[in-house]
Amino acid sequence: MPLTPELQKDIAARLRYYRDLGVFDFYQRGSATAEAVAEAPPQDIAQDQMPKTESIALQEPETSTPVAPENRIEALRIIQEEIGECTRCPLAFQGRHTVVFGEGNPYARLMFVGEGPGADEDAQGRPFVGRAGQLLNNMINAMGLQREQVYIANIVKCRPPQNRTPEPAEAITCSQFLLRQIDVIRPEIIVALGSTAATYLLGGKSPLSALRGRVHEMHGTKLVVTYHPAFLLRDPRQKKEAWKDLQIAMAELGLQPPKKSASEQA
Ligand code: URA
């Protein structure tokens, strides 16, 4: 079977799906599709982009003196200014338009970390504003919160070409800024959206299935892992599972889901 661009896209989408489910290992049965997978260019193969080493945890920021609440906005502004029109990693030269810093409440108790900006985010300079962002907003609302109450950021601040998974060098280069944002905001809990966020925030390379369902600790901050909203758009059956993860985060924050109105219950 010829390896057409459509077939490559289908294979890449299927591999992303398995990656989000936490499946990293594939075995070749000698079929044409397996050959096609082997031949596909690396940028389309999510599995190839997963970090190969075990030492992939993000580096701890050098100083972790708490920033006084009244200085948080300024502290975040300084980080953003320092990033500027960043050229520290190859993503700067691979079609990115905007550095997507992150946004939200500097006093947020809850922070979400995704993978990296997509096309909509790259165009608007804001995280999670496309279809996955709409679903993330719904997830936040289901928790009884408004988007303005939380903080949202990504492992990398620049869009990877064709939305490929960030390379370890890109994630680690960019992470110094994400860790400083976390250090300024000091959320009570972080929700890692998908395996890329979980992999880099927690280090190691465990499947998502092994990381979900419990509270982790990351540099003194609690962390819960759930599916990426883009994955939930592809497989809505997993929303029930994601809701279980969000309820773990809610329990940590002492939040109750909002009561449904009579019309919503009907
Ligand atoms: N997916 C992400 O991981 N982050 C965004 O900001 C948007 C989509």
Side-chain angles (χ1 to χ4, degrees):
M1 189 189 291
L3 185 57
T4 61
E6 288 71 33
L7 182 57
Q8 286 183 30
K9 265 199 200 146
D10 285 353
I11 294 168
R14 179 54 63 107
L15 286 173
R16 273 197 294 274
Y17 173 84
Y18 284 123
R19 181 201 64 190
D20 291 342
L21 271 180
V23 177
F24 297 109
D25 297 315
F26 298 89
Y27 299 93
Q28 188 167 352
R29 267 200 219 122
S31 69
T33 306
E35 279 162 27
V37 171
E39 284 169 18
Q43 75 267 21
D44 282 347
I45 303 291
Q47 189 196 1
D48 281 0
Q49 289 145 16
M50 290 310 290
K52 299 274 186 299
T53 63
E54 294 306 312
S55 55
I56 47 173
L58 305 185
Q59 301 296 309
E60 263 195 75
E62 269 169 29
T63 167
S64 57
T65 314
V67 174
E70 65 273 21
N71 295 334
R72 283 190 195 176
I73 294 173
E74 178 62 4
L76 290 170
R77 192 196 63 73
I78 290 169
I79 300 170
Q80 189 164 13
E81 192 176 271
E82 208 176 306
I83 296 172
E85 290 297 304
C86 187
T87 54
R88 293 169 181 85
C89 93
L91 293 179
F93 311 103
Q94 296 180 357
R96 87 113 205 258
H97 293 100
T98 331
V99 177
V100 180
F101 179 67
E103 68 177 24
N105 194 321
Y107 309 102
R109 300 176 65 205
L110 172 62
M111 179 165 177
F112 290 91
V113 177
E115 179 172 314
D120 295 312
E121 292 75 21
D122 180 56
Q124 295 185 41
R126 298 177 56 208
F128 282 100
V129 289
R131 280 184 68 224
Q134 283 303 315
L135 180 53
L136 179 60
N137 291 348
N138 294 344
M139 290 159 73
I140 293 168
N141 295 156
M143 297 173 83
L145 296 169
Q146 300 299 313
R147 183 174 164 118
E148 297 69 35
Q149 291 176 281
V150 306
Y151 197 91
I152 305 173
N154 281 303
I155 292 291
V156 292
K157 300 191 186 305
C158 295
R159 182 190 182 199
Q162 285 93 45
N163 299 338
R164 64 157 171 75
T165 308
E167 297 285 353
E170 297 157 354
I172 288 164
T173 304
C174 206
S175 69
Q176 53 179 312
F177 300 109
L178 173 63
L179 292 180
R180 281 170 61 189
Q181 285 168 283
I182 294 171
D183 207 38
V184 169
I185 297 161
R186 301 224 162 194
E188 285 168 50
I189 191 155
I190 294 172
V191 174
L193 298 167
S195 55
T196 299
T199 297
Y200 286 108
L201 291 173
L202 291 173
K205 198 182 119 183
S206 304
L208 207 70
S209 54
L211 298 173
R212 292 185 44 242
R214 64 200 157 95
V215 179
H216 302 263
E217 205 240 53
M218 182 239 161
H219 301 171
T221 305
K222 291 176 183 169
L223 185 145
V224 166
V225 173
T226 194
Y227 292 117
H228 193 289
F231 170 74
L232 296 174
L233 288 172
R234 294 198 293 276
D235 188 354
R237 288 168 305 177
Q238 306 298 335
K239 284 184 184 175
K240 264 193 276 172
E241 291 299 309
W243 179 233
K244 286 185 199 163
D245 301 327
L246 296 181
Q247 283 177 304
I248 297 173
M250 288 165 68
E252 291 297 320
L253 292 167
L255 294 176
Q256 300 289 329
K259 292 216 166 28
K260 285 192 177 169
S261 66
S263 63
E264 280 172 320
Q265 278 169 4

